[in-house]
Amino acid sequence: MDKKLFLQQLEALPIEGLDAAGLYREISALAVKHIAFSEKPKRCAHYLSIEFLIGRVFFNNLLELGVLREVKTLLRKKGVDLARLEEIEDAALGNGGLGRLAACYMDSGAACGFPLYGYGIRYRYGLFRQTFEDGFQREAPDDWQRFGDPWSIRREDEAQTIRFADMTVTAVPYDMPLIGKRVNTLRLYQAEGSAAAEAISGVLYPDDSTEEGRLLRIRQEYFLSAAAIGDMVRAYEARHGQDYRQFAKENTVQLNDTHPVFAIPELIRVLMERGVAYRAALKTAQAVFHYTNHTILPEALECWEKRLLQKILPSIAEILLKMNATQRQRHRKEGYTEAEIEAAGIYSRARDAFSMANTAVFSSGIVNGVAKLHSEIIRRDLFAAEAAHHPEKFFNVTNGIAQRRWLELANSELAELIDHKIGRAWRASPAALCELKPFVQDGETAAAFDAVKQKKKAQLFDYIVRTEGVRFTGEKLVYAQVKRLHEYKRQLMTAFALLRLYYDLKEGKLPDFAPSLFVFGAKAAPGYARAKAIIKYINEILKTINRDVSLGGALQGVFVTEYNVTYAEKIVAAADVSLQVSTAGLEASGTGNMKFMMNGAVTLGTMDGANIEIVEQAGMENNYIFGARVEEIEALRKGGYDPNAFLQANPAWKRVVETLRDGTFSDGGTGCFQELYTSLTAGASWHKPDHYFIFRDIEEYYQAILRVNRDFCDRARFTQKQLACVAASGFFSSDRSVSEYAEHIWHIRPKADKRK
Ligand code: 26V
């Protein structure tokens, strides 16, 4: 971009009297005009994802364009404070880590100069907006476009027709610039046509408990897949005509989990329609696709009934069946046992359904997990058959986060402190953060870091007072657990520990307890009753604790409403302790853990997901690890785990857990607390009692919380730990992750584009 010209035009822009939305639209639109998209090189990587949790783009884009500071100064001169744009809300076209990861990877792709192109869906409504009513979560539609969408460019000329057996849909792309050394695009498709057609890009993750809902999910997934493949094929044909032999040389596709897996049979279908033989088409597909698995939870592994596919996508069903036959033939030839053939099968006769994960594994060059442990687990369990016969297919790429958003933007104060100590090189090469190591022991650096933390806490508290109406007193040690609400993440275990703290404080058992604040943030899927019950329970506990003046402010808590990327930016910068307490083996990676670490929070967590690599980088001594390791959990799962025996033997915990049914807290007459209690003590549906082993880990968790609290009192030492975490966090930059994908999987090279 021509910065000078842009700033000149900005100066001339008539913005007096505009409200925040108007300012946002005018300034963004001007910036977009100045952005030149980079030319696509011969070989590109395409990242297909059902979620892109981009958050606010305004500040990020101006930062990437290198004009954020100048724009701020210029507008201040005109009497406009850019902070007013705080009220512009996030585009939440995602639900959690999977979608935020996609956004960070897009950021890194552009920043590092990789030709990496994103494909997703432009949902009319993002993830629901959350409020609390008497502690219960309420959901409202997220009309994110009410501020306009000035960073997107509608590309009518590149619209495509997507065909289902019973309807035809137009897929209209909206391109968002991804700005860095290159300007790549994130292309989000909007479904247009009849009302039924438009419903396809209506909402993220429609409820799939009914057949109608499942059909809509399938339509969404195919819509994204077919539009992306159509786009790639069209661009390819413009260069090569009908000769498809170079297709795999020029295109590589990363499947972000299984939602875009229909892209595989779709590519085969399109090639066959153009005269390529099935075998050759399959071979091309196998050279194009790669698959990232993001969870091993059985309920999240997609299987689609054959009947449903035959109804709306008969040719895709037919190709999947053909692939299934080829797969079985090959597997027999390669000596898979019958059990292995069944386990790896694309189509399962028993379920009369297609396994999207097995389809992805069979058709991909590389299959990767998202942290070392998780990659091991998928190799050993989920995809054991394929890993036994094709170990070369399996790979690990530990997740990462965009340090531009999560440090430079979220915590410019810390970023500047780092600049001051080690220079600015880390901003482009985050591995250089390790140069901070010599400063960890330095008293002056520690004091400066402390001052930054205090400032970020003050900013967060101020924001919380304004948005939640909860007031805090005095200095606080801040523990934070912010993430999707799910039983395996064990927010309920934190609730129990919090209540135990409360009881022990009231009984005078914790005389030197450093005043603490627990920050929760989470959305529960609208149909996930137990997750919603956990939110209500936490809110009830917080109400009791916050009201109790006898504590003198020693313990307080808040469940922030409408937790999203913008809230996360404030919380990660302010927290002292990052709570990452999933049952070992179940959190594929976690990325919040990395954001906290980079902002100088110690990890209080289990040996799970990327926590393991966090302590590997930053040292056990600078973090707080507790709980059963994955081997122990696996052994307990096989038998010998008795949560009721634990409760009988531990009256202090029994007292805490009994509050789920003894009337201490009200669940508004819904019975949802009793249901939680039952799930812990008797089990529910296919879950065993305490399916996520809360009672195995809770006492150790509690002791770890107290240990952090004691250590915090020795501020100099505690700050050293926090600084050591920052200094070791460079590895978790998504620049590193994306570079690993580029080198080992996509085989693309970075190339700066001068025209940006
Ligand atoms: C989805 C669903 C949907 C239906 C209800 C149950 C359920 C459970 C889990 C999921 C997760 C889908 C995949 C996902 O978001 N995985 C997350 O991916 C992150 C990025 O790799 C990773 O850091 C998180 O550990 C992982 O949970």
mmCIF file of all heavy atoms in Angstrom, residues 97-98 101 257 294-295 297 299-300 370 399 484 486 488 587-591, ligand 1:
data_model
loop_
_atom_site.group_PDB
_atom_site.id
_atom_site.type_symbol
_atom_site.label_atom_id
_atom_site.label_comp_id
_atom_site.label_asym_id
_atom_site.label_seq_id
_atom_site.Cartn_x
_atom_site.Cartn_y
_atom_site.Cartn_z
ATOM 1 N N GLY A 97 -11.402 -23.237 19.583
ATOM 2 C CA GLY A 97 -10.000 -23.380 19.185
ATOM 3 C C GLY A 97 -9.780 -23.707 17.721
ATOM 4 O O GLY A 97 -8.867 -23.180 17.085
ATOM 5 N N LEU A 98 -10.651 -24.555 17.182
ATOM 6 C CA LEU A 98 -10.495 -24.954 15.789
ATOM 7 C C LEU A 98 -10.588 -23.746 14.847
ATOM 8 O O LEU A 98 -9.793 -23.581 13.926
ATOM 9 C CB LEU A 98 -11.595 -25.962 15.452
ATOM 10 C CG LEU A 98 -11.679 -26.435 14.029
ATOM 11 C CD1 LEU A 98 -11.049 -27.805 13.917
ATOM 12 C CD2 LEU A 98 -13.124 -26.514 13.561
ATOM 13 N N LEU A 101 -7.699 -21.208 15.526
ATOM 14 C CA LEU A 101 -6.462 -21.709 14.931
ATOM 15 C C LEU A 101 -6.423 -21.361 13.442
ATOM 16 O O LEU A 101 -5.414 -20.901 12.917
ATOM 17 C CB LEU A 101 -6.362 -23.229 15.113
ATOM 18 C CG LEU A 101 -5.046 -23.829 14.634
ATOM 19 C CD1 LEU A 101 -3.957 -23.591 15.670
ATOM 20 C CD2 LEU A 101 -5.177 -25.321 14.359
ATOM 21 N N ASP A 257 -9.932 -30.473 10.203
ATOM 22 C CA ASP A 257 -10.881 -31.446 10.718
ATOM 23 C C ASP A 257 -11.730 -32.011 9.572
ATOM 24 O O ASP A 257 -11.437 -31.777 8.401
ATOM 25 C CB ASP A 257 -11.752 -30.864 11.838
ATOM 26 C CG ASP A 257 -11.956 -31.900 12.938
ATOM 27 O OD1 ASP A 257 -12.662 -32.900 12.696
ATOM 28 O OD2 ASP A 257 -11.394 -31.733 14.023
ATOM 29 N N HIS A 294 -8.527 -32.826 15.090
ATOM 30 C CA HIS A 294 -8.519 -31.904 16.235
ATOM 31 C C HIS A 294 -9.199 -32.449 17.484
ATOM 32 O O HIS A 294 -9.341 -31.724 18.469
ATOM 33 C CB HIS A 294 -9.196 -30.584 15.884
ATOM 34 C CG HIS A 294 -8.487 -29.792 14.843
ATOM 35 N ND1 HIS A 294 -7.565 -28.816 15.140
ATOM 36 C CD2 HIS A 294 -8.562 -29.840 13.494
ATOM 37 C CE1 HIS A 294 -7.116 -28.276 14.015
ATOM 38 N NE2 HIS A 294 -7.703 -28.882 13.000
ATOM 39 N N THR A 295 -9.686 -33.648 17.423
ATOM 40 C CA THR A 295 -10.300 -34.201 18.642
ATOM 41 C C THR A 295 -10.414 -35.710 18.527
ATOM 42 O O THR A 295 -10.569 -36.240 17.427
ATOM 43 C CB THR A 295 -11.697 -33.598 18.905
ATOM 44 O OG1 THR A 295 -12.197 -34.114 20.143
ATOM 45 C CG2 THR A 295 -12.695 -33.943 17.824
ATOM 46 N N LEU A 297 -12.634 -37.146 20.763
ATOM 47 C CA LEU A 297 -13.912 -37.432 21.430
ATOM 48 C C LEU A 297 -14.862 -38.109 20.447
ATOM 49 O O LEU A 297 -15.140 -37.567 19.381
ATOM 50 C CB LEU A 297 -14.562 -36.137 21.920
ATOM 51 C CG LEU A 297 -13.881 -35.403 23.065
ATOM 52 C CD1 LEU A 297 -14.743 -34.231 23.510
ATOM 53 C CD2 LEU A 297 -13.603 -36.336 24.230
ATOM 54 N N GLU A 299 -18.009 -38.449 20.283
ATOM 55 C CA GLU A 299 -19.223 -37.734 19.868
ATOM 56 C C GLU A 299 -18.940 -36.636 18.847
ATOM 57 O O GLU A 299 -19.853 -36.114 18.212
ATOM 58 C CB GLU A 299 -19.986 -37.173 21.072
ATOM 59 C CG GLU A 299 -19.250 -36.129 21.894
ATOM 60 C CD GLU A 299 -18.447 -36.731 23.052
ATOM 61 O OE1 GLU A 299 -17.815 -37.797 22.845
ATOM 62 O OE2 GLU A 299 -18.441 -36.122 24.137
ATOM 63 N N ALA A 300 -17.668 -36.303 18.687
ATOM 64 C CA ALA A 300 -17.338 -35.248 17.735
ATOM 65 C C ALA A 300 -16.776 -35.806 16.424
ATOM 66 O O ALA A 300 -16.411 -35.049 15.532
ATOM 67 C CB ALA A 300 -16.351 -34.275 18.362
ATOM 68 N N VAL A 370 -2.365 -32.237 16.571
ATOM 69 C CA VAL A 370 -2.072 -30.831 16.821
ATOM 70 C C VAL A 370 -1.170 -30.567 18.031
ATOM 71 O O VAL A 370 -0.946 -29.424 18.411
ATOM 72 C CB VAL A 370 -3.375 -30.015 16.914
ATOM 73 C CG1 VAL A 370 -4.023 -29.904 15.540
ATOM 74 C CG2 VAL A 370 -4.362 -30.633 17.912
ATOM 75 N N ASN A 399 0.226 -26.984 17.427
ATOM 76 C CA ASN A 399 -0.477 -25.719 17.158
ATOM 77 C C ASN A 399 0.351 -24.499 17.545
ATOM 78 O O ASN A 399 1.320 -24.602 18.302
ATOM 79 C CB ASN A 399 -1.776 -25.664 17.976
ATOM 80 C CG ASN A 399 -2.893 -26.494 17.377
ATOM 81 O OD1 ASN A 399 -3.920 -26.719 18.000
ATOM 82 N ND2 ASN A 399 -2.726 -26.942 16.159
ATOM 83 N N ARG A 484 -14.216 -23.030 25.417
ATOM 84 C CA ARG A 484 -15.540 -23.620 25.232
ATOM 85 C C ARG A 484 -15.958 -24.354 26.504
ATOM 86 O O ARG A 484 -15.105 -24.891 27.203
ATOM 87 C CB ARG A 484 -15.489 -24.682 24.121
ATOM 88 C CG ARG A 484 -15.767 -24.214 22.755
ATOM 89 C CD ARG A 484 -15.823 -25.381 21.775
ATOM 90 N NE ARG A 484 -14.581 -26.119 21.669
ATOM 91 C CZ ARG A 484 -14.444 -27.425 21.873
ATOM 92 N NH1 ARG A 484 -15.479 -28.163 22.246
ATOM 93 N NH2 ARG A 484 -13.287 -28.019 21.731
ATOM 94 N N HIS A 486 -17.072 -27.524 28.083
ATOM 95 C CA HIS A 486 -17.218 -28.959 27.808
ATOM 96 C C HIS A 486 -16.810 -29.729 29.050
ATOM 97 O O HIS A 486 -15.899 -29.314 29.765
ATOM 98 C CB HIS A 486 -16.351 -29.373 26.617
ATOM 99 C CG HIS A 486 -16.819 -30.671 26.018
ATOM 100 N ND1 HIS A 486 -16.618 -31.875 26.643
ATOM 101 C CD2 HIS A 486 -17.504 -30.943 24.876
ATOM 102 C CE1 HIS A 486 -17.162 -32.841 25.909
ATOM 103 N NE2 HIS A 486 -17.700 -32.303 24.827
ATOM 104 N N TYR A 488 -15.103 -32.368 29.394
ATOM 105 C CA TYR A 488 -13.713 -32.844 29.463
ATOM 106 C C TYR A 488 -12.734 -31.739 29.857
ATOM 107 O O TYR A 488 -11.640 -31.999 30.345
ATOM 108 C CB TYR A 488 -13.291 -33.518 28.147
ATOM 109 C CG TYR A 488 -12.815 -32.589 27.057
ATOM 110 C CD1 TYR A 488 -11.499 -32.131 27.031
ATOM 111 C CD2 TYR A 488 -13.663 -32.163 26.036
ATOM 112 C CE1 TYR A 488 -11.054 -31.266 26.040
ATOM 113 C CE2 TYR A 488 -13.242 -31.316 25.038
ATOM 114 C CZ TYR A 488 -11.933 -30.865 25.063
ATOM 115 O OH TYR A 488 -11.492 -30.010 24.080
ATOM 116 N N GLU A 587 -7.631 -33.203 25.667
ATOM 117 C CA GLU A 587 -7.495 -31.897 25.016
ATOM 118 C C GLU A 587 -6.436 -32.052 23.938
ATOM 119 O O GLU A 587 -5.251 -32.237 24.236
ATOM 120 C CB GLU A 587 -7.066 -30.837 26.027
ATOM 121 C CG GLU A 587 -7.072 -29.409 25.479
ATOM 122 C CD GLU A 587 -8.473 -28.902 25.187
ATOM 123 O OE1 GLU A 587 -8.958 -29.157 24.055
ATOM 124 O OE2 GLU A 587 -9.089 -28.276 26.061
ATOM 125 N N ALA A 588 -6.874 -31.989 22.687
ATOM 126 C CA ALA A 588 -5.930 -32.283 21.605
ATOM 127 C C ALA A 588 -4.681 -31.416 21.741
ATOM 128 O O ALA A 588 -3.558 -31.909 21.689
ATOM 129 C CB ALA A 588 -6.612 -32.070 20.261
ATOM 130 N N SER A 589 -4.886 -30.128 21.915
ATOM 131 C CA SER A 589 -3.741 -29.247 22.077
ATOM 132 C C SER A 589 -4.063 -28.159 23.097
ATOM 133 O O SER A 589 -3.408 -28.017 24.124
ATOM 134 C CB SER A 589 -3.370 -28.603 20.736
ATOM 135 O OG SER A 589 -2.542 -27.477 20.941
ATOM 136 N N GLY A 590 -5.112 -27.404 22.782
ATOM 137 C CA GLY A 590 -5.336 -26.154 23.496
ATOM 138 C C GLY A 590 -4.491 -25.100 22.808
ATOM 139 O O GLY A 590 -3.390 -25.392 22.301
ATOM 140 N N THR A 591 -5.022 -23.906 22.718
ATOM 141 C CA THR A 591 -4.235 -22.786 22.192
ATOM 142 C C THR A 591 -4.337 -21.601 23.136
ATOM 143 O O THR A 591 -3.447 -20.749 23.167
ATOM 144 C CB THR A 591 -4.713 -22.365 20.779
ATOM 145 O OG1 THR A 591 -6.133 -22.295 20.790
ATOM 146 C CG2 THR A 591 -4.254 -23.352 19.735
HETATM 147 C C1 26V B 1 -16.832 -30.539 18.945
HETATM 148 C C2 26V B 1 -17.986 -31.040 19.474
HETATM 149 C C3 26V B 1 -19.247 -30.776 18.778
HETATM 150 C C4 26V B 1 -20.374 -31.636 19.265
HETATM 151 C C5 26V B 1 -20.395 -31.764 20.753
HETATM 152 C C6 26V B 1 -19.119 -32.334 21.268
HETATM 153 C C7 26V B 1 -17.926 -31.745 20.666
HETATM 154 C C8 26V B 1 -16.731 -31.916 21.274
HETATM 155 C C9 26V B 1 -15.601 -31.402 20.761
HETATM 156 C C10 26V B 1 -15.639 -30.716 19.578
HETATM 157 C C11 26V B 1 -14.362 -30.203 19.108
HETATM 158 C C12 26V B 1 -14.191 -30.133 17.646
HETATM 159 C C13 26V B 1 -12.801 -29.916 17.258
HETATM 160 C C14 26V B 1 -12.110 -28.819 18.020
HETATM 161 O O1 26V B 1 -12.553 -27.697 18.092
HETATM 162 N N1 26V B 1 -10.971 -29.153 18.555
HETATM 163 C C15 26V B 1 -10.059 -28.229 19.207
HETATM 164 O O2 26V B 1 -9.101 -27.840 18.247
HETATM 165 C C16 26V B 1 -8.137 -26.942 18.770
HETATM 166 C C17 26V B 1 -7.253 -26.527 17.623
HETATM 167 O O3 26V B 1 -6.496 -27.598 17.193
HETATM 168 C C18 26V B 1 -7.368 -27.586 19.888
HETATM 169 O O4 26V B 1 -6.459 -26.667 20.413
HETATM 170 C C19 26V B 1 -8.305 -28.068 20.973
HETATM 171 O O5 26V B 1 -7.592 -28.790 21.940
HETATM 172 C C20 26V B 1 -9.403 -28.934 20.367
HETATM 173 O O6 26V B 1 -10.395 -29.262 21.328
#
